[in-house]
């Protein structure tokens, strides 16, 4: 589930291995590039953490962040009603 804290949307994703985490990041990167809205993120082995805020609006959460968060959820196959699960296996 995305949480809003410190003027950022935050979510942590865990995968079974580094390759799945990297594949997820690649998919997110392509979507972020299309939206011209790029995340702050980290990746350590099978864990990806993402923070979203809009720099042009003074580093606060805007609709751009919510749209990108929704696109990221779609990449994981996650819907708002299923956001409890943060472990994904991407094909």
């Amino acid at each position: 589930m995305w949480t809003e804290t410190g003027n950022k949307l935050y979510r942590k994703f865990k995968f079974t291995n580094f390759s799945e985490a990297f594949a997820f990041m690649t998919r997110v990167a392509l979507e972020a590039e299309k939206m011209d809205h790029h995340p702050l993120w980290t990746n350590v082995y099978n864990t990806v953490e993402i923070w979203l805020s809009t720099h042009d609006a003074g580093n606060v959460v805007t609709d751009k962040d919510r749209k990108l968060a929704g696109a990221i959820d779609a990449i994981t196959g996650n819907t708002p009603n299923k956001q409890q699960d943060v472990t994904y296996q991407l094909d």
Side-chain angles (χ1 to χ4, degrees), residues 6 9 11 24 34 41 49-50 52 61 65 71 74-75 77:
L9 290 179
R11 186 144 185 209
F24 167 74
K34 280 194 270 181
W41 56 9
E49 293 182 84
I50 301 176
L52 301 175
V61 176
D65 305 299
I75 289 168

Side-chain angles (χ1 to χ4, degrees), residues 10-44:
Y10 169 79
R11 186 144 185 209
K12 183 180 196 177
F13 298 87
K14 285 194 170 259
F15 301 89
T16 56
N17 57 46
F18 177 76
S19 294
E20 287 184 10
F22 195 84
F24 167 74
M25 291 178 71
T26 300
R27 291 176 182 171
V28 171
L30 293 171
E31 190 62 37
E33 190 64 19
K34 280 194 270 181
M35 296 175 75
D36 192 29
H37 191 55
H38 307 95
L40 168 64
W41 56 9
T42 63
N43 168 235
V44 177

Side-chain angles (χ1 to χ4, degrees), residues 66-87:
R66 290 182 184 89
K67 286 179 185 176
L68 182 53
I72 293 168
D73 287 343
I75 289 168
T76 64
N78 209 0
T79 62
N81 294 331
K82 292 169 51 180
Q83 288 187 354
Q84 306 286 327
D85 183 12
V86 294
T87 302

